[in-house]
Amino acid sequence: MKKLFVWGLLLLFFVLAVSGCAPPAAEKTGVDGQPAGEQQPGTGFPLTVEDHFGRQVEILQKPERIVSLAPSNTELLFALGLDERIVGVTEYCNFPPEALAKPKAGSFSEPYLEQIVTLQPELIVASELAITAEKLQQLEELQLPILVLHPAGFEEVCQTLEMLGAVTGEEETARQLIADMRVRVEAVQEKLQQLPDTREKVRVYYQVYHDPLMTAGGTSIISEIIEMAGGKNVFADVGAAYPKI
C-alpha cells in the first residue's frame, strides 16, 4: 500500500509539468474566504485556509521552515521554488533529486515526531491518504500549523497549488505555474480537436504497482490525465481509485 501511495501521487508533479488550469487567485484574507485576523502590513499574514480534511488552519506568519510528509507535497513545494525552506521530507521523497539530501522526518504513514520537533518546522504538510486520525492528533499537539492535502482530481491539484502558494507567501509563483499549465493543456486540446471524431482512442493500462498488481481506476487522477490526453483507461469503469486486479 505504501508503494501505491508513492507511485500514484508521484504523478502530481507530472501534472504540474504538462497540464494546467486557472482557479481564482487566493485572497489575502485566506483562500477559503474566511477572515484571518488582523494582517501584518504588506505580508498577507495571518491567514486561514481550509485543508482537505475540512480543518480551518491558521497561518500566523510566512513559514521559513517547512516539513513535507508526502512525496506529492514535496514535489509541489519544490515546484514553488521553496527548496531552501524545506527542512524535512519523508524517506520516499526522491523527486526532484534535491529532495534526497533533505533531513528525513519519517515515512508518509509513520512520521517521526521527535525528529519533526527537532527540525523546528513552522508548517507541516501531510497527506489525507496516509495520515491517521491518531497521528494527526499527535502532530496537532505540537501546536504547529498542519495542512492535510489530498487533491482528488486535476482541478483540485491546481487549487492545492494555489493554497500552498498562499500559505508560503509565493502567490505569484503559483499563479505563474498555473498560467503555464493552462497554455500547455490548451495546446494538447487543440491538437486533439484536429483528430477525426471517428478515431479509435489509444487504450491505456497504467500499472501502479506489481505486488499486488494494482492499476488506476476511473476515480483516480491518473485516469483523468489519460482521458485529458485523448486516451482511454481500460479500467475506467472501476470505481475504486487504485484497485487490485
Side-chain angles (χ1 to χ4, degrees), residues 66-70 73 77 123-127 145-149 164:
I66 304 171
V67 167
S68 169
L69 297 181
N73 294 340
L77 292 169
L123 176 65
I124 300 172
V125 188
S127 169
I146 306 168
L147 281 179
V148 182
L149 305 177
L164 286 175

Side-chain angles (χ1 to χ4, degrees), residues 70-117:
S72 54
N73 294 340
T74 299
E75 295 164 10
L76 293 174
L77 292 169
F78 269 95
L80 286 169
L82 300 173
D83 185 351
E84 297 300 321
R85 294 159 61 186
I86 301 171
V87 298
V89 299
T90 76
E91 297 173 347
Y92 296 93
C93 294
N94 58 10
F95 190 87
E98 291 81 0
L100 294 170
K102 296 293 183 180
K104 301 303 181 284
S107 68
F108 47 82
S109 59
E110 289 294 334
Y112 303 155
L113 298 183
E114 292 184 1
Q115 178 65 9
I116 291 174
V117 172

Side-chain angles (χ1 to χ4, degrees), residues 187-206:
V188 172
Q189 295 302 312
E190 288 178 2
K191 290 184 179 296
L192 289 175
Q193 291 174 3
Q194 297 172 10
L195 299 176
D197 295 336
T198 57
R199 75 178 178 91
E200 183 176 352
K201 292 185 177 181
V202 175
R203 295 169 58 82
V204 180
Y205 164 66
Y206 190 100

Side-chain angles (χ1 to χ4, degrees), residues 227-239:
E227 297 291 335
M228 289 176 63
K232 178 177 175 58
N233 178 14
V234 297
F235 281 94
D237 59 342
V238 178

Side-chain angles (χ1 to χ4, degrees), residues 23-41:
E27 296 294 336
K28 288 187 176 181
T29 53
V31 297
D32 62 347
Q34 299 298 320
E38 185 176 351
Q39 293 182 338
Q40 304 169 22

Side-chain angles (χ1 to χ4, degrees), residues 1 4-5 8-10 12 50-55 70 72-73 76 125-131 147-161 163-164 219-222 224 240-242:
M1 192 63 181
L4 165 64
F5 176 83
L9 289 192
L10 189 62
L12 291 183
E50 181 175 311
D51 70 4
H52 293 161
F53 259 3
R55 301 163 56 250
S72 54
N73 294 340
L76 293 174
V125 188
S127 169
E128 183 180 349
L129 283 182
I131 197 72
L147 281 179
V148 182
L149 305 177
H150 176 45
F154 180 76
E155 292 292 339
E156 289 190 15
V157 170
C158 298
Q159 294 165 7
T160 298
L161 180 59
M163 180 192 299
L164 286 175
T219 60
S220 69
I221 188 173
I222 296 174
E224 184 177 358
Y242 300 103

Side-chain angles (χ1 to χ4, degrees), residues 11-23 76 79-80 154-162 173-189 228:
L11 193 63
L12 291 183
F13 187 78
F14 172 76
V15 175
L16 291 177
V18 301
S19 306
C21 64
L76 293 174
L80 286 169
F154 180 76
E155 292 292 339
E156 289 190 15
V157 170
C158 298
Q159 294 165 7
T160 298
L161 180 59
E162 181 190 24
T173 302
R175 283 194 288 267
Q176 186 60 56
L177 283 172
I178 292 170
D180 291 345
M181 292 189 296
R182 173 183 284 276
V183 171
R184 292 171 183 266
V185 75
E186 287 178 353
V188 172
Q189 295 302 312
M228 289 176 63

